[in-house]
């Protein structure tokens, strides 16, 4: 019995212990369930925080949840996110510092305004140019920058109303000129949250532009003066560069050298010049000394030749390098013709002087050294000496007259009233003795005497020069006629000869100094000054002279003097 009782007691104790274990196990299961539920809730919360969907029980049971260790994974993820945040914050701080540095060092003054036109940010340039040391944050731009009077078409209002970038040029304040650009900034809803105004200081640029405009105006004025000078210069003028391009040329040179429609911007090669001689000179300029001259011949219309003296000056740098050349072409045609005529005159004058001098010397020697037979011819020898001496006197007289004319000295005239027939007869008496091989006649086409007002000596010189030419260029035995008429208050003398005549070109040049119509015939004496003197003497007495002539058909010289009655 005792052992049964003991067994019953043991059984009761075991049951009690089993129930207790069951109760503890139930408590433990509830605690585990609550723990798993808490862990799952927290894991779901963390997953939601990092943007991941929550875990469903059928996707991951409780046992697997502990093995998967989502908390550790999420913790690691959070650690990674935190590390990324720290790195991002560091970069953001660096970027902010860079932006702030750019914001402060940018060349333009920057203002950031809110929609109420209050200043929320500005850079150092703004302090220097616009604020002048004033506190600006929270102040209205209108009051601080525009001094309470915004300009018409306020840029801030335009940007705020349009939502677009706007511009304002040449806005001035504090003795500075600005170009202003306004740009909008938008919030998440698309509304303008801020307006950024950038003020670019253009004061120096405008001053430079003004100075440049003044310089351009001065340059244009200088160019106009240069062009005016070039237009007024009668000489041909051109400038070339180191590449043989014409960089400057005047109109006269364009016409002479065949350079038409010269373009200053494009230039023109010297190969386009019509003169081969000038092209050669300019191409060889780099090898020349600093200055070079040469006569060039140009043939114009009608085969008329002109002589130009080319004067070329070489342009070199300070190092001696060739930089181009300057060429002047001066028309020396008349000068060269005068030189030629002077040379001919010297030759002719020497011949003219030598002949009478040789005769005078020869006859003088005969008179001094001859015997009795010479005395028998004394009168003839003295006549020859006298004639040659008179010829020398005429030559010297012509030279003195032309010298006075060349120097601009007025010819001294003593006009008096003379009968033209009387003056002509006095001249003819001398010529009838001198020239027995020609017949000289006078005809007066008037029933009454013709009186003129003239200088007697000048009249003789005029008529003698004309008759001298008529006799020289007329055949032996030819008749030379002097005809006198009066009309229109003038006396008209016509000296008509049957000589060799002249061409139109010779008539045109007959009054030139030293010019002789038949210069090739040295047997005909003369200095080429006679008709030059005639023209000046006639015009000095208010008269006129005209020549009509044809080759081999003779010449008529018509001289007009004022009538004595017409002078009163």
């Amino acid at each position: 019995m005792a052992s049964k009782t003991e067994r019953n007691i043991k059984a009761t104790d075991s049951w009690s212990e089993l129930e207790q274990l069951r109760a503890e196990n139930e408590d433990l299961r509830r605690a585990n369930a609550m723990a798993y539920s808490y862990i799952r809730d927290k894991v779901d919360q963390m997953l939601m925080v990092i943007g991941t969907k929550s875990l469903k029980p059928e996707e991951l049971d409780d046992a697997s949840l502990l093995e998967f260790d989502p908390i550790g994974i999420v913790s690691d993820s959070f650690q990674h996110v935190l590390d990324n945040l720290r790195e991002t914050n560091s970069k953001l701080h660096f970027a902010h510092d860079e932006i702030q540095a750019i914001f402060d060092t940018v060349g333009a003054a920057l203002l950031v305004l809110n929609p109420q036109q209050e200043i929320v940010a500005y850079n150092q340039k703004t302090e220097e140019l616009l604020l002048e040391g004033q506190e600006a944050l929270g102040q209205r731009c209108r009051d601080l920058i525009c001094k309470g009077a915004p300009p018409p078409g306020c840029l801030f209002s335009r940007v705020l109303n349009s939502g677009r970038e706007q511009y304002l040029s040449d806005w001035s304040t504090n003795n500075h000129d600005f170009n202003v650009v306004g740009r909008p900034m938008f919030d998440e809803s698309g509304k303008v949250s801020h307006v950024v105004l950038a003020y670019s200081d253009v004061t120096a640029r405008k001053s430079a532009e003004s100075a440049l405009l003044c310089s351009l105006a001065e340059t244009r004025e200088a160019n106009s003066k240069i062009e005016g000078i070039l237009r007024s210069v009668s000489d041909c003028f051109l400038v070339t560069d180191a590449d043989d391009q014409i960089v400057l040329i005047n109109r006269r040179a364009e016409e002479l050298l065949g350079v038409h429609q010269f373009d200053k911007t494009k230039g023109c090669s010297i190969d386009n010049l019509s003169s081969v001689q000038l092209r050669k000179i300019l191409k060889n300029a780099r090898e020349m000394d600093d200055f070079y001259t040469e006569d060039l011949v140009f043939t114009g219309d009608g085969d008329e030749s002109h002589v130009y003296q080319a004067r070329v000056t070489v342009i070199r740098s300070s190092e001696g390098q060739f930089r181009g050349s300057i060429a002047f072409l001066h028309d020396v045609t008349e000068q060269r013709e005068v030189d030629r005529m002077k040379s001919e005159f010297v030759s002719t004058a020497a011949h003219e002087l030598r002949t009478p001098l040789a005769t005078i010397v020869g006859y003088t020697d005969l008179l001094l050294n001859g015997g009795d037979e010479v005395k028998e011819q004394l009168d003839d020898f003295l006549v020859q000496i006298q004639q040659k001496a008179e010829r020398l006197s005429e030559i010297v007289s012509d030279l003195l007259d032309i010298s006075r004319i060349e120097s601009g000295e007025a010819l001294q005239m003593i006009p008096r009233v003379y009968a033209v027939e009387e003056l002509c007869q006095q001249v003819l008496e001398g010529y009838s003795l001198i020239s027995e091989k020609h017949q000289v006649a006078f005809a007066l086409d008037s029933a009454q005497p013709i009186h003129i007002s003239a200088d007697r000596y000048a009249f003789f010189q005029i008529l003698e020069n004309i008759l001298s030419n008529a006799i020289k260029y007329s055949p032996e035995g030819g008749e030379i006629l002097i005809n006198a008429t009066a009309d229109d208050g003038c006396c008209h003398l016509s000296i008509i000869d049957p000589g060799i005549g002249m061409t139109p070109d010779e008539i045109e040049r007959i009054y030139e100094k030293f010019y002789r119509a038949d210069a090739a015939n040295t047997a005909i004496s003369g200095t080429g000054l006679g008709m030059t003197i005639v023209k000046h003497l006639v015009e000095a007495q208010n008269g006129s002279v005209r020549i009509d002539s044809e080759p081999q058909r003779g010449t008529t010289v018509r001289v007009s003097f004022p009538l004595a009655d017409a002078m009163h």
Side-chain angles (χ1 to χ4, degrees):
M1 283 295 290
S3 43
K4 185 176 179 181
T5 301
E6 292 176 355
R7 287 194 299 272
N8 288 335
I9 292 171
K10 290 181 180 179
T12 301
D13 292 338
S14 297
W15 178 255
S16 297
E17 187 175 353
L18 181 60
E19 286 299 326
Q20 185 179 355
L21 289 172
R22 285 177 179 171
E24 291 177 355
N25 188 43
E26 184 63 28
D27 291 338
L28 184 58
R29 188 175 68 252
R30 284 198 300 270
N32 287 339
M34 290 176 64
Y36 280 120
S37 176
Y38 175 79
I39 291 172
R40 190 178 292 277
D41 288 341
K42 294 303 179 182
V43 169
D44 287 342
Q45 288 178 9
M46 287 189 291
L47 291 175
M48 288 178 65
V49 169
I50 64 175
T52 304
K53 294 181 179 180
S54 59
L55 294 174
K56 296 180 180 180
E58 59 270 18
E59 295 175 342
L60 190 66
D61 57 19
D62 293 339
S64 300
L65 182 62
L66 292 177
E67 293 177 2
F68 186 64
D69 191 15
I71 293 177
I73 294 174
V74 172
S75 176
D76 292 340
S77 298
F78 267 110
Q79 185 64 42
H80 183 67
V81 169
L82 289 175
D83 292 340
N84 285 338
L85 284 175
R86 292 190 187 96
E87 183 178 358
T88 301
N89 283 336
S90 176
K91 291 180 179 179
L92 286 175
H93 282 297
F94 181 75
H96 176 269
D97 293 340
E98 284 188 328
I99 293 173
Q100 187 63 41
I102 295 172
F103 189 69
D104 287 334
T105 58
V106 70
L110 299 178
L111 277 179
V112 182
L113 311 176
N114 61 19
Q116 289 73 42
Q117 206 175 4
E118 295 173 343
I119 300 174
V120 297
Y122 57 87
N123 65 350
Q124 292 180 356
K125 204 69 175 177
T126 305
E127 293 184 17
E128 298 173 8
L129 298 176
L130 300 174
L131 300 181
E132 298 180 339
Q134 301 179 71
E135 179 59 39
L137 292 178
Q139 300 290 328
R140 286 168 58 86
C141 173
R142 163 191 309 239
D143 300 329
L144 198 60
I145 306 300
C146 299
K147 315 299 183 186
C154 174
L155 195 63
F156 171 82
S157 301
R158 287 161 51 192
V159 174
L160 197 64
N161 294 332
S162 66
R164 296 180 180 179
E165 188 174 283
Q166 300 290 328
Y167 299 90
L168 179 64
S169 299
D170 297 332
W171 180 74
S172 301
T173 186
N174 297 337
N175 298 321
H176 286 269
D177 297 312
F178 297 92
N179 286 342
V180 189
V181 179
R183 294 184 179 89
M185 297 176 62
F186 301 96
D187 58 16
E188 296 178 355
S189 64
K191 293 182 179 180
V192 177
S193 61
H194 295 86
V195 173
V196 179
L197 300 179
Y199 296 80
S200 298
D201 189 359
V202 295
T203 307
R205 192 189 74 188
K206 288 195 68 176
S207 298
E209 288 176 353
S210 178
L212 179 60
L213 290 175
C214 290
S215 298
L216 288 175
E218 292 175 356
T219 301
R220 292 192 187 99
E221 183 178 356
N223 287 337
S224 298
K225 290 180 180 178
I226 292 173
E227 291 177 359
I229 292 171
L230 291 180
R231 285 194 300 269
S232 63
V233 170
S234 59
D235 290 345
C236 300
F237 170 83
L238 62 91
V239 180
T240 65
D241 61 15
D243 298 322
D244 292 337
Q245 295 292 311
I246 300 172
V247 295
L248 190 62
I249 186 171
N250 66 348
R251 181 63 58 85
R252 182 74 182 88
E254 289 182 13
E255 295 172 354
L256 179 67
L257 301 174
V259 180
H260 301 292
Q261 297 179 346
F262 175 71
D263 189 341
K264 295 181 180 178
T265 60
K266 297 180 180 178
C268 175
S269 172
I270 62 175
D271 293 329
N272 295 330
L273 300 178
S274 60
S275 172
V276 177
Q277 291 174 282
L278 184 59
R279 291 203 303 264
K280 183 178 179 181
I281 292 173
L282 294 177
K283 283 184 177 293
N284 295 333
R286 64 186 71 241
E287 308 297 334
M288 298 177 182
D289 294 332
D290 292 339
F291 187 75
Y292 178 80
T293 61
E294 182 178 333
D295 282 358
L296 308 178
V297 179
F298 291 84
T299 302
D301 297 336
D303 295 331
E304 182 180 1
S305 295
H306 287 268
V307 180
Y308 285 82
Q309 184 185 62
R311 293 174 290 175
V312 179
T313 302
V314 179
I315 305 171
R316 300 189 187 278
S317 66
S318 57
E319 293 80 15
Q321 295 180 342
F322 178 73
R323 288 289 182 264
S325 60
I326 302 173
F328 278 95
L329 277 72
H330 178 62
D331 191 347
V332 293
T333 305
E334 183 176 351
Q335 181 180 344
R336 295 295 180 265
E337 181 64 17
V338 170
D339 292 341
R340 182 191 65 79
M341 289 191 296
K342 283 183 178 179
S343 297
E344 289 183 359
F345 166 74
V346 170
S347 176
T348 302
H351 175 75
E352 291 293 317
L353 292 171
R354 185 183 297 115
T355 300
L357 282 174
T359 302
I360 292 172
V361 172
Y363 281 116
T364 303
D365 286 341
L366 285 174
L367 290 175
L368 292 174
N369 302 317
D372 295 336
E373 68 276 6
V374 172
K375 295 181 180 180
E376 297 176 359
Q377 297 178 302
L378 179 61
D379 291 342
D380 292 338
F381 289 170
L382 290 176
V383 169
Q384 290 293 329
I385 291 173
Q386 183 183 20
Q387 289 178 351
K388 298 305 179 181
E390 289 177 350
R391 177 58 186 155
L392 287 175
S393 177
E394 291 174 0
I395 294 174
V396 172
S397 179
D398 286 348
L399 292 175
L400 290 175
D401 287 341
I402 202 66
S403 176
R404 285 194 293 268
I405 293 170
E406 284 288 310
S407 64
E409 181 181 346
L411 298 175
Q412 298 298 323
M413 297 288 120
I414 305 175
R416 290 177 181 168
V417 177
Y418 298 98
V420 70
E421 182 177 4
E422 178 185 344
L423 293 176
C424 291
Q425 290 296 346
Q426 291 178 13
V427 175
L428 292 182
E429 288 176 2
Y431 268 91
S432 62
L433 296 175
I434 296 173
S435 178
E436 298 176 352
K437 298 179 182 179
H438 296 84
Q439 298 179 2
V440 183
F442 175 80
L444 180 64
D445 292 345
S446 173
Q448 301 295 328
I450 301 174
H451 292 86
I452 62 173
S453 177
D455 180 276
R456 183 173 180 274
Y457 175 78
F459 183 90
F460 286 171
Q461 196 171 3
I462 292 168
L463 195 54
E464 286 173 356
N465 273 313
I466 297 173
L467 285 175
S468 175
N469 286 336
I471 291 171
K472 290 176 186 176
Y473 294 101
S474 294
E476 293 184 4
E479 182 182 17
I480 299 170
L481 176 64
I482 302 175
N483 185 55
T485 61
D487 61 20
D488 295 332
C490 290
C491 171
H492 303 288
L493 287 179
S494 298
I495 298 90
I496 306 167
D497 71 65
I500 62 175
M502 291 182 288
T503 64
D505 289 340
E506 290 173 333
I507 294 174
E508 185 176 352
R509 300 185 59 191
I510 194 65
Y511 301 114
E512 294 180 7
K513 295 182 295 292
F514 315 122
Y515 179 75
R516 300 177 64 204
D518 190 15
N521 189 354
T522 58
I524 299 176
S525 62
T527 60
L529 296 173
M531 290 307 296
T532 305
I533 295 173
V534 166
K535 185 174 187 297
H536 282 85
L537 290 176
V538 170
E539 292 178 350
Q541 300 180 85
N542 300 317
S544 63
V545 59
R546 180 168 62 89
I547 298 176
D548 296 325
S549 183
E550 292 183 21
Q552 308 306 322
R553 299 191 65 178
T555 300
T556 299
V557 180
R558 306 182 192 277
V559 182
S560 298
F561 293 94
L563 293 173
D565 295 339
M567 301 296 292
H568 300 284

